[in-house]
């Protein structure tokens, strides 16, 4: 995995230094997703499109969004694949308008209403629990994370750097605030105290840390945890009893992308029947096409207490909430 990342990075350096301004056989993708999720889909796409070679740049969501912003006058990437919609909605000027050819096959709530946001899966925030380290500890939701026995044993990433971590911050504010996010900060302060000053640097460090028994429990997203559970790691998924926000994940074509047509092909592929079926049946990701069956591995949505946030409130308060969280963690 590490070698693939290094090769992709070297390839991008070569690409950025090249005097060529166009190459029909290239597609540069920025993605915060785990490699075990993106690599099978990239391989499948390349097999279906043998004349296109993908260069994958893997990094945290915050870092990749900053990269897109920095490069907006001379974009080096073509696609941002994955990022919380709440982190993107005030940056739509960075992305091209494009409607997938598969739009009519998606559930209505996941259709592209904005012009530049193509949804391709829905990703609940969940807890990943190491079953070896928590045999005598009940963990059914956020409230249980305040157990003194878990102090310093909770894996969580800086929400300003990770979209999955930011989603959890929103989720806990709404769940523990019983629908009013401002009422959830009392819980956040207690939760941060139980982190014992530990904030991880990336999303992958959370689920890997729990699977490797470095942490007892982590706040992550469903797909990553499900892959570890399916592979036999000593982990289980916990859907917070206080409530789970179900949010779609997006794929975005970068404004003035050098390989625009290839980018469109990839967006169409990700929303295609074959790709969605692969996500649903092999990669433990929830498909959003209407013509696919539910996953046999993931908990049926009917058995999850689903709650909702307010996009307008979240977008308006994002910077304030991140700043408030920073103040809390630095004061502990």
């Amino acid at each position: 995995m590490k070698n693939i990342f290094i090769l992709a990075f070297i390839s991008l350096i070569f690409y950025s230094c090249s005097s060529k301004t166009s190459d029909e056989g290239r597609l540069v993708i920025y993605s915060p997703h785990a490699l075990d999720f993106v690599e099978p889909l990239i391989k499948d796409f390349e097999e279906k499109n043998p004349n296109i070679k993908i260069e994958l740049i893997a990094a945290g969501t915050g870092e990749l969004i900053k990269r897109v912003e920095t490069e907006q006058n001379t974009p080096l990437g073509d696609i941002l694949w994955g990022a919380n919609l709440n982190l993107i909605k005030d940056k739509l000027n960075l992305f091209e308008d494009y409607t997938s050819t598969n739009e009519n096959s998606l559930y209505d709530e996941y259709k592209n209403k904005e012009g530049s946001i193509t949804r391709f899966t829905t990703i609940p925030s969940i807890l990943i629990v190491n079953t070896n380290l928590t045999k005598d500890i009940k963990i059914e939701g956020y409230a249980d994370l305040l157990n003194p026995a878990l102090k310093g044993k909770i894996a969580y990433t800086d929400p300003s750097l990770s979209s999955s971590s930011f989603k959890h911050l929103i989720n806990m504010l709404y769940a523990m605030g019983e629908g009013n996010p401002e009422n959830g900060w009392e819980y956040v302060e207690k939760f941060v105290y139980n982190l014992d000053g530990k904030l991880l640097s990336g999303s992958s460090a959370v689920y890997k840390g729990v699977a490797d028994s470095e942490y007892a429990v982590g706040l992550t997203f469903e797909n990553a945890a499900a892959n570890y559970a399916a592979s036999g790691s000593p982990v289980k998924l916990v859907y917070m009893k206080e409530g789970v926000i179900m949010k779609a994940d997006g794929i975005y074509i970068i404004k003035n992308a050098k390989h625009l047509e290839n980018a469109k092909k990839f967006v169409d592929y990700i929303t295609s029947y074959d790709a969605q079926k692969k996500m649903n049946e092999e990669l433990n990701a929830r498909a959003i096409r209407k013509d696919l069956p539910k996953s046999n591995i993931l908990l049926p949505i009917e058995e999850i207490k689903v709650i909702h946030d307010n996009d307008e409130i979240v977008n308006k308060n994002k910077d304030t909430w991140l700043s408030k969280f920073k103040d809390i963690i630095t004061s502990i």
Side-chain angles (χ1 to χ4, degrees), residues 152-162 165-166 169 172 188 191-203 205-206 215 219 322 324-332:
K153 300 178 182 179
I154 302 170
Y156 185 62
T157 306
D158 185 340
S160 68
L161 301 177
S162 163
S165 182
F166 181 63
L169 177 60
M172 67 176 70
V188 172
F191 166 74
V192 169
Y193 174 79
N194 230 28
L195 291 177
D196 201 24
K198 297 179 181 180
L199 274 183
L200 305 186
S201 59
S203 301
V206 174
Y215 296 92
L219 289 79
L322 288 174
K324 190 168 183 177
F325 182 89
K326 183 179 180 180
D327 290 341
I328 294 172
I329 192 72
T330 54
S331 67
I332 298 298

Side-chain angles (χ1 to χ4, degrees), residues 1-9 35 39 208:
M1 296 292 186
K2 184 179 293 184
N3 290 337
I4 291 173
F5 172 76
I6 292 172
L7 288 173
F9 185 70
L35 293 179
E39 285 178 346
K208 288 180 180 178

Side-chain angles (χ1 to χ4, degrees), residues 137 143-154 193-194 196:
I137 302 175
D144 297 320
L145 300 183
L146 303 185
N147 187 334
L150 293 174
K151 187 173 183 179
K153 300 178 182 179
I154 302 170
Y193 174 79
N194 230 28
D196 201 24

Side-chain angles (χ1 to χ4, degrees), residues 13-77:
I13 293 175
F14 175 80
Y15 164 70
S16 64
C17 295
S18 172
S19 59
K20 295 181 180 181
T21 58
S22 177
D23 184 343
E24 293 182 358
R26 273 200 177 119
L27 179 62
V28 180
I29 295 179
Y30 296 165
S31 181
H33 282 299
L35 293 179
D36 57 5
F37 173 74
V38 300
E39 285 178 346
L41 293 167
I42 286 175
K43 180 181 178 181
D44 189 47
F45 174 82
E46 289 181 334
E47 289 175 351
K48 289 178 168 62
N49 299 272
N51 296 324
I52 301 175
K53 179 63 179 176
I54 290 176
E55 298 172 13
L56 174 66
I57 308 302
T61 304
E63 179 183 341
L64 292 174
I65 292 175
K66 287 180 181 177
R67 183 179 291 211
V68 173
E69 289 179 310
T70 301
E71 299 170 353
Q72 60 184 297
N73 293 327
T74 53
L76 300 180

Side-chain angles (χ1 to χ4, degrees), residues 3 19 44 59 61 65 83 120 132 137 145 161 164-165 172-173 187 209 214 229 237 244 258 268 286 288 290 300:
N3 290 337
S19 59
D44 189 47
T61 304
I65 292 175
F120 68 96
N132 289 338
I137 302 175
L145 300 183
L161 301 177
S164 62
S165 182
M172 67 176 70
L173 286 174
Y187 168 81
E214 295 177 24
L237 282 64
V244 177
K258 288 184 173 66
D268 289 343
R286 290 181 187 266
I288 59 171
K290 296 181 289 188

Side-chain angles (χ1 to χ4, degrees), residues 8 14 59 82 120-121 131 133 138 148 159 207 234 243 261 319 321 325:
F14 175 80
F120 68 96
T121 185
T131 54
L133 300 180
K138 182 187 71 172
Y207 46 82
E261 293 308 310
D319 292 339
W321 289 351
F325 182 89

Side-chain angles (χ1 to χ4, degrees), residues 76-122:
L76 300 180
D78 301 304
I79 281 177
L80 174 61
W81 180 13
N84 187 306
L85 270 59
N86 288 325
L87 295 177
I88 291 294
K89 283 195 171 181
D90 61 347
K91 301 179 186 296
L92 296 185
N93 61 302
L94 298 174
F95 304 101
E96 296 278 356
D97 280 353
Y98 180 67
T99 300
S100 163
T101 55
N102 298 296
E103 189 76 2
N104 290 335
S105 296
L106 307 183
Y107 287 107
D108 289 343
E109 59 265 37
Y110 298 122
K111 289 184 177 178
N112 183 355
K113 310 172 188 67
E114 301 81 4
S116 57
I117 298 178
T118 298
R119 296 153 177 85
F120 68 96
T121 185
T122 182

